[in-house]
């Protein structure tokens, strides 16, 4: 079994003496794969240990140094602790990486898939983008070549996300014997919006992904949007087989199979796998000394007041500014909450190498200052903004939440909504955007809002604060059960089983 993703399970830092120190990567994908790597069902491969090979890119100069010192970039063969998996890290030229990762993946595909462009001004695809696209093609080709080199005959290959949309078809041309899956961790755009991409690029993205045997998405809505794009843009080459057998098992496992696609003489299966959280592991982590210490600090800041929490990166799609505008509207329309509530805002910097993100972080800081100027008193600060990436503090804040605000413009899933339901000790009421992937599973017990409607969001916060403790706890318990339905190891295992079926 092989996995390909932009970010891998190992990252390096350079020490003062020039030596390299490896640390384990974070995130649900890494956790899920490490669980699968230890499963006997995947042992016995040609690589030794678990039989798992993970192909990823070197993201920093320290990563590149480690890669150059390892034979063919194989970190495990250079003596590094890679958690039992073989790790092949690619030494991508920095200019190629910058163009592929930032200019195409993060500044173009991410914006299209999350509907972030303001079409009166953006996008505009000129000669510079053509060069960026060539780099994106090369970046994907490097992954395909490495996978083809590392894969045993008939191996299963699971390719992850919008960074690698071209790799499935590139790999199939090199190794038609392999079983290939691609999973999208983002939303998918409707064809009317997706067509903002240059025609050849839009076709290449779809054609590249359809090189897989199986395509996975977080919700049925995102999968259906992809199918609509494929039919609209690929035309007669694409047939959607609505008569194919389907498995709507979302109530028990969270997994759904959709109609098959027929493209250029091949069948491509579509699966929906709504990633959840490992509730037991998350709760155990929340009892760590660092989390309990930060919870004590936050309780002192809160001083017995009601608590509204949000935890997000300062990513444009997360809609933090409108969420803060809604909190300001809550205080304006309902003066009873002034002095009685504190909004804990964990808004951690994201993608600061892109100017749009630096500007957005500054906008968050500006509106926080405006709210403080309007409402703060000598004995009460209406909100507390945390701009440093502090995971223990985030867990502590979620454990204290009475109201959790998750209002993205668009989100593939949004695990904070699920983490908050598991961690809240008093039973948090969830104010949830209808455009978050999590809403497909959690709408029944959340307060669902239009993320663009500041007044509606403020009204939902007010309704959440007025809820009885018993109602909040009941809703939160049901949300926590949903959140834990498909934890990372099971989520990944089901995709593998579907590919091998």
């Amino acid at each position: 079994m092989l996995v390909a993703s932009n970010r891998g399970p190992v990252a390096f830092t350079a020490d003062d003496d020039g030596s390299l120190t490896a640390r384990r990567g974070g995130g649900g994908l890494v956790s899920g794969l490490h669980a699968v790597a230890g499963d006997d069902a995947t042992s016995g491969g040609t690589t030794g240990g678990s039989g798992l090979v993970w192909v990823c890119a070197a993201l920093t100069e320290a990563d590149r140094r480690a890669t150059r010192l390892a034979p063919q970039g194989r970190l495990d063969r250079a003596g590094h602790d890679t958690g039992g998996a073989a790790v092949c890290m690619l030494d991508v030229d920095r200019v190629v990486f910058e163009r592929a990762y930032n200019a195409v993946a993060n500044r173009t595909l991410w914006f299209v898939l999350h509907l972030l462009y303001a079409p009166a001004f953006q996008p505009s695809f000129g000669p510079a983008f053509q060069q960026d696209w060539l780099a994106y093609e090369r970046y994907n080709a490097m992954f395909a070549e490495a996978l083809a080199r590392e894969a045993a005959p008939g191996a299963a290959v699971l390719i992850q996300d919008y960074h690698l949309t071209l790799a499935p078809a590139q790999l199939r041309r090199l190794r038609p014997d392999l079983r290939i899956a691609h999973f999208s961790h983002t939303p998918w755009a409707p064809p009317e919006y997706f067509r903002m991409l240059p025609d050849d690029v839009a076709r290449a993205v779809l054609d590249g992904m359809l090189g897989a045997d199986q395509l996975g998405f977080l919700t049925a809505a995102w999968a259906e949007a992809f199918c609509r794009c494929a039919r609209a843009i690929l035309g007669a080459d694409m047939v959607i087989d609505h008569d194919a057998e389907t498995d709507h098992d979302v109530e028990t496992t969270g997994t759904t199979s959709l109609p098959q696609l027929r493209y250029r003489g091949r069948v491509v299966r579509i699966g929906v796998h709504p990633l959840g959280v490992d509730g037991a592991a998350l709760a155990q982590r929340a009892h760590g000394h660092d989390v309990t210490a930060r919870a004590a600090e936050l309780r002192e800041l809160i001083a017995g007041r009601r608590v509204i929490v949000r935890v997000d990166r300062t990513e444009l799609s997360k809609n933090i500014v409108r969420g803060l505008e809604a909190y300001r509207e809550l205080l304006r329309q309902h003066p009873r909450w002034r002095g009685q509530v504190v909004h804990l805002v964990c808004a951690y910097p994201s993608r600061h190498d892109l100017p749009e993100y630096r500007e957005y972080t500054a906008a968050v800081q500006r509106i926080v200052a405006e709210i403080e100027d309007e409402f703060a008193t000598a004995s009460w600060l209406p909100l507390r903004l945390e701009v440093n990436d502090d995971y223990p503090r985030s867990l502590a804040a979620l454990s204290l939440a009475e109201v959790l605000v998750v209002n993205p413009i668009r989100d593939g899933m949004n695990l904070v909504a699920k983490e908050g339901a598991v961690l809240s000790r008093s039973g948090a009421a969830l104010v949830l955007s209808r455009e978050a992937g999590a809403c497909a599973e959690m709408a029944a017990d959340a307060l669902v809002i239009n993320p663009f409607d500041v007044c509606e969001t403020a009204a939902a916060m007010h309704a959440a604060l007025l809820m009885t403790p018993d109602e909040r706890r009941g809703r939160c318990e049901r949300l926590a059960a949903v959140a834990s339905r498909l934890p990372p190891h099971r989520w990944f295992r089901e995709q593998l089983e579907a590919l091998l079926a």
Side-chain angles (χ1 to χ4, degrees):
M1 182 176 70
L2 298 92
V3 172
S5 61
N6 177 69
R7 187 180 301 275
V10 180
F12 291 87
T13 55
D15 300 328
D16 292 339
D17 61 1
S19 61
L20 296 170
T21 299
R23 57 181 173 80
R24 178 173 163 172
L29 179 62
V30 172
S31 299
L33 280 171
H34 274 288
V36 173
D39 193 318
D40 289 340
T42 61
S43 64
T46 61
T47 61
S50 69
L52 171 66
V53 180
W54 194 324
V55 180
C56 58
L59 304 183
T60 65
E61 192 54 43
D63 288 350
R64 293 185 185 95
R65 280 182 53 203
T67 301
R68 292 163 190 161
L69 293 170
Q72 291 189 302
R74 279 287 295 270
L75 302 178
D76 53 304
R77 292 176 180 166
H80 297 293
D81 180 5
T82 56
V87 177
C88 177
M89 187 172 278
L90 304 179
D91 182 11
V92 185
D93 176 83
R94 278 185 291 184
V95 174
V96 171
F97 183 83
E98 169 67 23
R99 287 180 176 274
Y101 178 72
N102 279 329
V104 176
N106 288 342
R107 210 178 219 167
T108 302
L109 296 181
W110 179 273
F111 272 55
V112 167
L113 297 175
H114 289 82
L115 313 187
L116 293 177
Y117 279 126
F121 304 98
Q122 293 178 311
S124 179
F125 298 112
F129 179 78
Q130 294 176 343
Q131 295 303 310
D132 296 336
W133 181 251
L134 290 174
Y136 184 79
E137 290 178 325
R138 179 59 193 144
Y139 176 79
N140 275 252
M142 290 181 68
F143 274 85
E145 290 160 5
L147 291 165
R149 182 178 66 247
E150 296 285 348
V157 182
L158 297 106
I159 299 171
Q160 305 297 311
D161 227 357
Y162 63 103
H163 313 93
L164 297 172
T165 61
L166 309 184
Q170 292 171 332
L171 179 59
R172 182 161 299 282
R173 287 191 288 271
L174 295 172
R175 291 287 305 273
D177 62 300
L178 301 178
R179 290 162 292 180
I180 304 169
H182 183 281
F183 194 89
S184 293
H185 296 261
T186 63
W188 202 268
E192 299 80 11
Y193 202 91
F194 192 77
R195 276 179 156 156
M196 281 198 288
L197 290 169
D199 291 352
D200 59 333
V201 169
R203 189 175 183 91
V205 167
L206 298 169
D207 183 87
M209 291 175 62
L210 287 165
D213 298 290
Q214 177 176 304
L215 297 176
F217 298 87
L218 288 166
T219 75
W222 311 145
E224 289 162 2
F226 175 88
C227 293
R228 288 178 57 209
C229 285
R231 183 67 185 90
I233 292 168
L234 300 178
D237 291 337
M238 168 59 57
V239 177
I240 301 176
D241 187 356
H242 292 286
D243 295 326
E245 183 179 351
T246 61
D247 175 19
H248 294 282
D249 198 20
V250 70
E251 288 301 318
T252 57
T253 69
T255 300
T256 306
S257 296
L258 294 174
Q260 296 174 345
L261 307 181
R262 301 184 186 276
Y263 181 64
R264 294 184 174 177
R266 296 179 51 256
V267 173
V268 181
R269 297 191 302 271
I270 303 292
V272 173
H273 306 270
L275 176 63
V277 298
D278 186 334
L282 193 61
Q284 182 179 12
R285 178 66 184 89
H287 282 91
H289 294 304
D290 53 352
V291 178
T292 55
R294 283 164 176 78
E297 295 168 2
L298 291 175
R299 276 192 290 268
E300 187 174 345
L301 288 173
I302 294 162
R305 298 181 176 92
R306 309 291 298 278
V307 186
I308 300 174
V309 171
R310 80 171 302 135
V311 175
D312 275 313
R313 294 176 294 111
T314 48
E315 155 59 50
L316 277 64
S317 66
K318 300 300 184 183
N319 207 25
I320 299 172
V321 170
R322 287 192 188 90
L324 291 170
E325 289 174 346
Y327 180 62
R328 178 167 61 189
E329 192 64 20
L330 171 73
L331 298 179
R332 286 175 175 173
Q333 295 297 320
H334 303 283
R336 63 183 288 179
W337 300 120
R338 298 177 193 175
Q340 303 302 310
V341 66
V342 174
H343 191 6
L344 298 179
V345 181
C346 301
Y348 304 136
S350 175
R351 297 177 181 168
H352 265 211
D353 43 357
L354 297 179
E356 297 94 333
Y357 287 79
R358 294 194 296 271
E359 293 165 8
Y360 195 74
T361 299
V364 169
Q365 293 169 326
R366 282 196 300 273
I367 191 170
V368 166
E370 291 170 7
I371 293 171
E372 290 179 346
D373 289 344
E374 183 172 352
F375 296 106
T377 66
S379 59
W380 173 62
L381 273 177
L383 75 175
R384 304 278 180 162
L385 173 65
E386 173 64 46
V387 295
N388 297 315
D389 192 349
D390 187 335
Y391 183 60
R393 183 184 176 94
S394 297
L395 296 182
L398 292 172
S399 74
L400 298 174
E402 292 180 62
V403 180
L404 177 62
V405 178
V406 178
N407 69 319
I409 293 170
R410 223 160 189 251
D411 216 331
M413 177 53 65
N414 197 297
L415 287 181
V416 169
K418 295 185 173 184
E419 291 167 344
V422 169
L423 291 176
S424 177
R425 294 176 183 174
S426 60
L430 176 61
V431 176
L432 181 62
S433 167
R434 67 190 185 195
E435 300 301 323
C439 194
E441 302 171 87
M442 305 178 85
D445 286 293
L447 298 168
V448 178
I449 53 99
N450 174 350
F452 299 98
D453 191 334
V454 169
C455 292
E456 183 184 44
T457 305
M461 291 182 189
H462 179 60
L465 289 168
L466 292 177
M467 243 180 233
T468 66
D470 285 345
E471 182 180 358
R472 281 194 288 107
R473 276 193 292 270
R475 285 174 178 251
C476 193
E477 287 172 2
R478 292 188 292 273
L479 290 171
V482 169
S484 303
R485 193 160 54 193
L486 203 64
H489 65 278
R490 185 175 173 189
W491 167 82
F492 192 87
R493 166 60 59 192
E494 287 194 0
Q495 292 176 62
L496 180 61
E497 290 174 349
L499 178 62
L500 299 179

